[in-house]
Amino acid sequence: GYVRGPFEGGVAIEGNKILAICEGDAINDYISDDTEVFEYGDNLIMPGLIDAHDHLWWGACADSPYMVNLSMTKSKEEAIAMIKEFAGANPDLPRVCGFGWMLGQWNDAPFPTKEDLDAIVPERPTYMLNGDCHSAWLNSKGIKEAGYTPDMVIDGGSIGLDEAGEPNGQIFEPAALEY
């Protein structure tokens, strides 16, 4: 890939194929009388990325100082310790957010619940996105802030309920994560 950064130049395209990316006037070698030329001044031109199932935003999370990265945790206990440490080190954040935990890495442990997070971060909404981006783990403040209720019907997603029929901190599928 090109690592130096943006530059003034052009892109030669034929059909749906990029023929060349040129700096300066070198693009003129690809222009003929039949060429349709588009001038974009000093606007940035870059290829579009089309993917049926991408997680491009994951990179922003991975390096964010505002989120705890749980992707290497091997147990619920290890994740809880990291969340507690992160919350303690970031008392000014209005909510505690994290990502990357995976039940498959936790030796088939049961899905964590709001009580696990309430015990370590009771005073702030806490949201932990699963590594597969299809489920989340919230504390009681997070459930309340997001507006989850026991009677919600979500097309394409669901909210976990405890034995008493109350949200247990388990949120499933992207449609349910939109709240």
Side-chain angles (χ1 to χ4, degrees):
Y2 192 80
V3 296
R4 195 169 53 96
F7 59 88
E8 188 174 328
V11 179
I13 301 171
E14 183 175 12
N16 65 353
K17 303 274 191 238
I18 295 175
L19 299 178
I21 300 171
C22 304
E23 289 192 51
D25 293 332
I27 196 68
N28 293 336
D29 294 343
Y30 293 89
I31 298 174
S32 70
D33 292 338
D34 298 325
T35 303
E36 187 174 4
V37 176
F38 298 91
E39 296 286 340
Y40 294 100
D42 42 342
N43 290 305
L44 178 65
I45 298 172
M46 59 186 287
L49 300 172
I50 299 171
D51 188 330
H53 190 100
D54 64 23
H55 295 184
L56 297 176
W57 54 270
W58 191 262
C61 294
D63 291 330
S64 174
Y66 304 106
M67 299 185 86
V68 57
N69 182 345
L70 304 173
S71 62
M72 300 305 289
T73 59
K74 300 293 183 208
S75 67
K76 178 175 72 172
E77 294 74 23
E78 183 180 1
I80 288 170
M82 288 178 70
I83 296 164
K84 183 177 181 178
E85 180 181 341
F86 178 83
N90 295 280
D92 296 330
L93 292 177
R95 54 196 54 79
V96 178
C97 298
F99 67 95
W101 60 277
M102 294 288 290
L103 283 180
Q105 293 177 187
W106 293 1
N107 296 317
D108 297 320
F111 203 101
T113 65
K114 66 183 178 187
E115 287 82 12
D116 297 314
L117 293 175
D118 288 347
I120 58 168
V121 190
E123 73 286 352
R124 290 184 277 173
T126 301
Y127 304 89
M128 299 294 137
L129 183 62
N130 189 290
D132 66 8
C133 305
H134 288 270
S135 58
W137 168 28
L138 284 63
N139 71 352
S140 294
K141 293 269 187 180
I143 293 167
K144 182 175 181 179
E145 181 179 68
Y148 292 112
T149 62
D151 58 343
M152 289 180 86
V153 176
I154 301 171
D155 188 30
S158 64
I159 301 161
L161 302 176
D162 62 20
E163 298 80 27
E166 293 298 315
N168 63 8
Q170 302 168 1
I171 311 299
F172 302 100
E173 294 305 325
L177 301 175
E178 293 176 3
Y179 292 87

Short mmCIF file of all heavy atoms in Angstrom, two decimals, residues 87-130:
data_model
loop_
_atom_site.label_atom_id
_atom_site.label_comp_id
_atom_site.label_asym_id
_atom_site.label_seq_id
_atom_site.Cartn_x
_atom_site.Cartn_y
_atom_site.Cartn_z
N ALA A 87 -12.17 0.93 35.19
CA ALA A 87 -13.12 1.87 35.79
C ALA A 87 -12.44 2.71 36.87
O ALA A 87 -12.65 3.93 36.94
CB ALA A 87 -14.32 1.12 36.38
N GLY A 88 -11.61 2.08 37.68
CA GLY A 88 -10.90 2.80 38.73
C GLY A 88 -9.89 3.80 38.18
O GLY A 88 -9.70 4.88 38.74
N ALA A 89 -9.26 3.45 37.06
CA ALA A 89 -8.26 4.33 36.45
C ALA A 89 -8.89 5.46 35.64
O ALA A 89 -8.20 6.40 35.24
CB ALA A 89 -7.34 3.50 35.55
N ASN A 90 -10.21 5.36 35.38
CA ASN A 90 -10.91 6.36 34.55
C ASN A 90 -12.18 6.84 35.25
O ASN A 90 -13.29 6.71 34.71
CB ASN A 90 -11.24 5.75 33.18
CG ASN A 90 -10.01 5.42 32.39
OD1 ASN A 90 -9.41 6.28 31.78
ND2 ASN A 90 -9.61 4.15 32.43
N PRO A 91 -12.04 7.45 36.43
CA PRO A 91 -13.23 7.84 37.19
C PRO A 91 -14.06 8.95 36.55
O PRO A 91 -15.23 9.12 36.89
CB PRO A 91 -12.65 8.29 38.53
CG PRO A 91 -11.27 8.74 38.20
CD PRO A 91 -10.81 7.81 37.10
N ASP A 92 -13.47 9.70 35.62
CA ASP A 92 -14.18 10.81 35.00
C ASP A 92 -15.00 10.41 33.77
O ASP A 92 -15.77 11.22 33.24
CB ASP A 92 -13.21 11.94 34.62
CG ASP A 92 -12.54 12.54 35.85
OD1 ASP A 92 -13.18 12.53 36.92
OD2 ASP A 92 -11.41 13.01 35.74
N LEU A 93 -14.84 9.18 33.29
CA LEU A 93 -15.65 8.73 32.16
C LEU A 93 -17.09 8.56 32.64
O LEU A 93 -17.33 7.94 33.67
CB LEU A 93 -15.13 7.42 31.59
CG LEU A 93 -13.78 7.46 30.88
CD1 LEU A 93 -13.38 6.06 30.43
CD2 LEU A 93 -13.81 8.41 29.69
N PRO A 94 -18.07 9.09 31.89
CA PRO A 94 -19.46 8.98 32.33
C PRO A 94 -20.02 7.55 32.28
O PRO A 94 -20.99 7.23 32.95
CB PRO A 94 -20.23 9.88 31.36
CG PRO A 94 -19.36 9.98 30.16
CD PRO A 94 -17.95 9.85 30.65
N ARG A 95 -19.39 6.71 31.47
CA ARG A 95 -19.79 5.31 31.40
C ARG A 95 -18.53 4.47 31.16
O ARG A 95 -17.53 4.96 30.68
CB ARG A 95 -20.85 5.07 30.33
CG ARG A 95 -20.53 5.53 28.95
CD ARG A 95 -21.74 5.62 28.01
NE ARG A 95 -22.86 6.41 28.47
CZ ARG A 95 -22.92 7.74 28.42
NH1 ARG A 95 -21.92 8.43 27.95
NH2 ARG A 95 -23.99 8.37 28.84
N VAL A 96 -18.61 3.21 31.51
CA VAL A 96 -17.48 2.29 31.35
C VAL A 96 -17.81 1.39 30.16
O VAL A 96 -18.83 0.70 30.16
CB VAL A 96 -17.24 1.46 32.63
CG1 VAL A 96 -16.10 0.48 32.41
CG2 VAL A 96 -16.96 2.39 33.81
N CYS A 97 -16.96 1.43 29.14
CA CYS A 97 -17.20 0.66 27.92
C CYS A 97 -16.02 -0.25 27.62
O CYS A 97 -14.87 0.09 27.91
CB CYS A 97 -17.42 1.60 26.73
SG CYS A 97 -18.85 2.67 26.92
N GLY A 98 -16.32 -1.38 27.04
CA GLY A 98 -15.28 -2.32 26.66
C GLY A 98 -15.76 -3.22 25.55
O GLY A 98 -16.90 -3.15 25.10
N PHE A 99 -14.87 -4.06 25.08
CA PHE A 99 -15.18 -4.92 23.94
C PHE A 99 -14.25 -6.11 23.93
O PHE A 99 -13.21 -6.12 24.59
CB PHE A 99 -15.00 -4.14 22.64
CG PHE A 99 -13.56 -3.79 22.38
CD1 PHE A 99 -12.77 -4.59 21.57
CD2 PHE A 99 -12.98 -2.70 22.99
CE1 PHE A 99 -11.43 -4.29 21.37
CE2 PHE A 99 -11.64 -2.39 22.79
CZ PHE A 99 -10.87 -3.19 21.97
N GLY A 100 -14.64 -7.13 23.15
CA GLY A 100 -13.73 -8.21 22.82
C GLY A 100 -13.86 -9.49 23.61
O GLY A 100 -13.24 -10.49 23.25
N TRP A 101 -14.63 -9.51 24.69
CA TRP A 101 -14.73 -10.74 25.48
C TRP A 101 -15.43 -11.82 24.65
O TRP A 101 -16.28 -11.54 23.84
CB TRP A 101 -15.46 -10.50 26.79
CG TRP A 101 -16.86 -10.01 26.63
CD1 TRP A 101 -17.25 -8.72 26.42
CD2 TRP A 101 -18.04 -10.80 26.62
NE1 TRP A 101 -18.61 -8.66 26.29
CE2 TRP A 101 -19.13 -9.92 26.41
CE3 TRP A 101 -18.30 -12.15 26.77
CZ2 TRP A 101 -20.44 -10.36 26.36
CZ3 TRP A 101 -19.61 -12.59 26.71
CH2 TRP A 101 -20.66 -11.69 26.51
N MET A 102 -15.02 -13.06 24.85
CA MET A 102 -15.59 -14.19 24.09
C MET A 102 -15.80 -15.38 25.02
O MET A 102 -14.86 -15.86 25.65
CB MET A 102 -14.66 -14.60 22.95
CG MET A 102 -14.47 -13.58 21.86
SD MET A 102 -15.91 -13.38 20.81
CE MET A 102 -15.92 -14.92 19.92
N LEU A 103 -17.04 -15.85 25.08
CA LEU A 103 -17.33 -17.02 25.92
C LEU A 103 -16.49 -18.22 25.52
O LEU A 103 -16.09 -19.01 26.37
CB LEU A 103 -18.81 -17.39 25.83
CG LEU A 103 -19.78 -16.53 26.62
CD1 LEU A 103 -21.21 -17.04 26.43
CD2 LEU A 103 -19.43 -16.49 28.08
N GLY A 104 -16.21 -18.36 24.24
CA GLY A 104 -15.40 -19.48 23.77
C GLY A 104 -14.00 -19.50 24.35
O GLY A 104 -13.36 -20.55 24.39
N GLN A 105 -13.52 -18.37 24.80
CA GLN A 105 -12.19 -18.28 25.43
C GLN A 105 -12.28 -18.46 26.94
O GLN A 105 -11.27 -18.47 27.63
CB GLN A 105 -11.56 -16.91 25.14
CG GLN A 105 -11.21 -16.70 23.70
CD GLN A 105 -10.66 -15.32 23.41
OE1 GLN A 105 -10.48 -14.99 22.28
NE2 GLN A 105 -10.41 -14.49 24.40
N TRP A 106 -13.52 -18.55 27.45
CA TRP A 106 -13.72 -18.65 28.90
C TRP A 106 -14.09 -20.06 29.32
O TRP A 106 -14.81 -20.26 30.30
CB TRP A 106 -14.81 -17.68 29.34
CG TRP A 106 -14.47 -16.23 29.22
CD1 TRP A 106 -13.32 -15.67 28.74
CD2 TRP A 106 -15.32 -15.14 29.58
NE1 TRP A 106 -13.40 -14.31 28.78
CE2 TRP A 106 -14.62 -13.95 29.29
CE3 TRP A 106 -16.59 -15.05 30.09
CZ2 TRP A 106 -15.15 -12.69 29.52
CZ3 TRP A 106 -17.12 -13.79 30.33
CH2 TRP A 106 -16.41 -12.63 30.05
N ASN A 107 -13.64 -21.06 28.62
CA ASN A 107 -13.88 -22.47 28.97
C ASN A 107 -15.36 -22.76 29.18
O ASN A 107 -15.75 -23.39 30.16
CB ASN A 107 -13.07 -22.86 30.22
CG ASN A 107 -11.59 -22.77 29.95
OD1 ASN A 107 -11.12 -23.20 28.91
ND2 ASN A 107 -10.85 -22.20 30.90
N ASP A 108 -16.17 -22.28 28.24
CA ASP A 108 -17.61 -22.54 28.26
C ASP A 108 -18.30 -22.07 29.54
O ASP A 108 -19.25 -22.69 30.01
CB ASP A 108 -17.90 -24.02 28.01
CG ASP A 108 -17.42 -24.45 26.63
OD1 ASP A 108 -17.60 -23.67 25.68
OD2 ASP A 108 -16.86 -25.55 26.52
N ALA A 109 -17.82 -20.97 30.09
CA ALA A 109 -18.47 -20.37 31.26
C ALA A 109 -19.87 -19.89 30.86
O ALA A 109 -20.13 -19.61 29.70
CB ALA A 109 -17.64 -19.20 31.76
N PRO A 110 -20.77 -19.78 31.83
CA PRO A 110 -22.09 -19.24 31.50
C PRO A 110 -21.98 -17.76 31.11
O PRO A 110 -21.03 -17.07 31.50
CB PRO A 110 -22.88 -19.42 32.80
CG PRO A 110 -21.87 -19.58 33.86
CD PRO A 110 -20.64 -20.15 33.23
N PHE A 111 -22.96 -17.30 30.37
CA PHE A 111 -22.99 -15.91 29.94
C PHE A 111 -22.98 -15.01 31.19
O PHE A 111 -23.73 -15.26 32.14
CB PHE A 111 -24.26 -15.66 29.13
CG PHE A 111 -24.18 -14.49 28.19
CD1 PHE A 111 -23.96 -14.69 26.84
CD2 PHE A 111 -24.33 -13.20 28.65
CE1 PHE A 111 -23.91 -13.62 25.96
CE2 PHE A 111 -24.27 -12.13 27.79
CZ PHE A 111 -24.05 -12.33 26.44
N PRO A 112 -22.15 -13.97 31.22
CA PRO A 112 -22.12 -13.10 32.40
C PRO A 112 -23.41 -12.28 32.52
O PRO A 112 -24.12 -12.09 31.53
CB PRO A 112 -20.91 -12.20 32.13
CG PRO A 112 -20.76 -12.19 30.65
CD PRO A 112 -21.22 -13.55 30.18
N THR A 113 -23.69 -11.78 33.70
CA THR A 113 -24.92 -11.04 33.94
C THR A 113 -24.65 -9.67 34.53
O THR A 113 -23.51 -9.34 34.89
CB THR A 113 -25.83 -11.82 34.92
OG1 THR A 113 -25.16 -11.90 36.19
CG2 THR A 113 -26.15 -13.21 34.40
N LYS A 114 -25.72 -8.89 34.65
CA LYS A 114 -25.60 -7.53 35.20
C LYS A 114 -25.03 -7.55 36.61
O LYS A 114 -24.29 -6.64 37.00
CB LYS A 114 -26.96 -6.82 35.17
CG LYS A 114 -28.01 -7.43 36.08
CD LYS A 114 -29.34 -6.72 35.97
CE LYS A 114 -30.38 -7.40 36.85
NZ LYS A 114 -31.72 -6.84 36.63
N GLU A 115 -25.34 -8.59 37.37
CA GLU A 115 -24.84 -8.67 38.75
C GLU A 115 -23.31 -8.69 38.80
O GLU A 115 -22.70 -8.13 39.71
CB GLU A 115 -25.42 -9.90 39.48
CG GLU A 115 -26.88 -9.76 39.84
CD GLU A 115 -27.83 -10.08 38.69
OE1 GLU A 115 -27.38 -10.62 37.66
OE2 GLU A 115 -29.03 -9.78 38.82
N ASP A 116 -22.69 -9.35 37.81
CA ASP A 116 -21.23 -9.39 37.76
C ASP A 116 -20.65 -7.98 37.64
O ASP A 116 -19.64 -7.66 38.26
CB ASP A 116 -20.76 -10.23 36.56
CG ASP A 116 -21.19 -11.68 36.65
OD1 ASP A 116 -21.05 -12.28 37.72
OD2 ASP A 116 -21.68 -12.20 35.62
N LEU A 117 -21.29 -7.15 36.81
CA LEU A 117 -20.81 -5.77 36.61
C LEU A 117 -21.28 -4.85 37.72
O LEU A 117 -20.54 -3.94 38.12
CB LEU A 117 -21.27 -5.25 35.25
CG LEU A 117 -20.66 -5.95 34.04
CD1 LEU A 117 -21.28 -5.43 32.75
CD2 LEU A 117 -19.14 -5.75 34.01
N ASP A 118 -22.51 -5.06 38.22
CA ASP A 118 -23.00 -4.23 39.32
C ASP A 118 -22.08 -4.30 40.54
O ASP A 118 -21.92 -3.32 41.27
CB ASP A 118 -24.41 -4.66 39.74
CG ASP A 118 -25.48 -4.29 38.73
OD1 ASP A 118 -25.21 -3.48 37.81
OD2 ASP A 118 -26.61 -4.83 38.86
N ALA A 119 -21.47 -5.47 40.76
CA ALA A 119 -20.60 -5.66 41.92
C ALA A 119 -19.33 -4.81 41.83
O ALA A 119 -18.76 -4.46 42.87
CB ALA A 119 -20.23 -7.14 42.05
N ILE A 120 -18.90 -4.47 40.62
CA ILE A 120 -17.64 -3.72 40.50
C ILE A 120 -17.83 -2.29 39.99
O ILE A 120 -16.99 -1.43 40.26
CB ILE A 120 -16.64 -4.46 39.58
CG1 ILE A 120 -17.23 -4.69 38.19
CG2 ILE A 120 -16.19 -5.77 40.23
CD1 ILE A 120 -16.23 -5.15 37.15
N VAL A 121 -18.91 -2.01 39.26
CA VAL A 121 -19.18 -0.66 38.76
C VAL A 121 -20.67 -0.37 38.95
O VAL A 121 -21.44 -0.35 37.99
CB VAL A 121 -18.79 -0.50 37.27
CG1 VAL A 121 -18.86 0.97 36.86
CG2 VAL A 121 -17.43 -1.07 36.96
N PRO A 122 -21.10 -0.14 40.19
CA PRO A 122 -22.53 0.09 40.42
C PRO A 122 -22.99 1.51 40.09
O PRO A 122 -24.18 1.73 39.87
CB PRO A 122 -22.68 -0.18 41.92
CG PRO A 122 -21.34 0.16 42.50
CD PRO A 122 -20.34 -0.22 41.43
N GLU A 123 -22.06 2.46 40.03
CA GLU A 123 -22.44 3.86 39.94
C GLU A 123 -22.48 4.44 38.52
O GLU A 123 -22.98 5.54 38.32
CB GLU A 123 -21.49 4.72 40.79
CG GLU A 123 -20.08 4.90 40.22
CD GLU A 123 -19.15 3.69 40.29
OE1 GLU A 123 -19.50 2.67 40.92
OE2 GLU A 123 -18.07 3.76 39.68
N ARG A 124 -21.98 3.71 37.53
CA ARG A 124 -21.95 4.21 36.15
C ARG A 124 -22.49 3.16 35.18
O ARG A 124 -22.26 1.97 35.38
CB ARG A 124 -20.52 4.56 35.72
CG ARG A 124 -19.95 5.77 36.40
CD ARG A 124 -18.58 6.09 35.84
NE ARG A 124 -17.58 5.24 36.49
CZ ARG A 124 -16.30 5.19 36.12
NH1 ARG A 124 -15.87 5.89 35.10
NH2 ARG A 124 -15.46 4.41 36.76
N PRO A 125 -23.17 3.61 34.10
CA PRO A 125 -23.57 2.65 33.07
C PRO A 125 -22.33 1.94 32.52
O PRO A 125 -21.30 2.58 32.27
CB PRO A 125 -24.22 3.52 32.00
CG PRO A 125 -24.61 4.78 32.70
CD PRO A 125 -23.58 4.97 33.79
N THR A 126 -22.45 0.64 32.35
CA THR A 126 -21.32 -0.17 31.87
C THR A 126 -21.79 -1.05 30.73
O THR A 126 -22.80 -1.74 30.84
CB THR A 126 -20.75 -1.01 33.03
OG1 THR A 126 -20.34 -0.11 34.08
CG2 THR A 126 -19.56 -1.84 32.59
N TYR A 127 -21.04 -0.99 29.63
CA TYR A 127 -21.38 -1.70 28.40
C TYR A 127 -20.16 -2.46 27.90
O TYR A 127 -19.12 -1.86 27.65
CB TYR A 127 -21.79 -0.72 27.30
CG TYR A 127 -22.91 0.21 27.66
CD1 TYR A 127 -22.67 1.44 28.27
CD2 TYR A 127 -24.23 -0.14 27.39
CE1 TYR A 127 -23.71 2.30 28.59
CE2 TYR A 127 -25.28 0.73 27.70
CZ TYR A 127 -25.00 1.94 28.31
OH TYR A 127 -26.03 2.79 28.63
N MET A 128 -20.28 -3.77 27.73
CA MET A 128 -19.19 -4.60 27.23
C MET A 128 -19.66 -5.34 25.97
O MET A 128 -20.52 -6.23 26.06
CB MET A 128 -18.73 -5.61 28.29
CG MET A 128 -18.20 -4.98 29.56
SD MET A 128 -16.67 -4.07 29.27
CE MET A 128 -16.98 -2.60 30.24
N LEU A 129 -19.13 -4.97 24.81
CA LEU A 129 -19.50 -5.60 23.55
C LEU A 129 -18.70 -6.88 23.37
O LEU A 129 -17.48 -6.89 23.55
CB LEU A 129 -19.24 -4.65 22.38
CG LEU A 129 -19.66 -5.13 21.00
CD1 LEU A 129 -21.16 -5.36 20.93
CD2 LEU A 129 -19.23 -4.12 19.95
N ASN A 130 -19.39 -7.94 22.99
CA ASN A 130 -18.74 -9.23 22.74
C ASN A 130 -17.82 -9.13 21.53
O ASN A 130 -18.05 -8.33 20.63
CB ASN A 130 -19.82 -10.29 22.51
CG ASN A 130 -19.26 -11.69 22.47
OD1 ASN A 130 -18.58 -12.08 21.54
ND2 ASN A 130 -19.56 -12.46 23.50
#
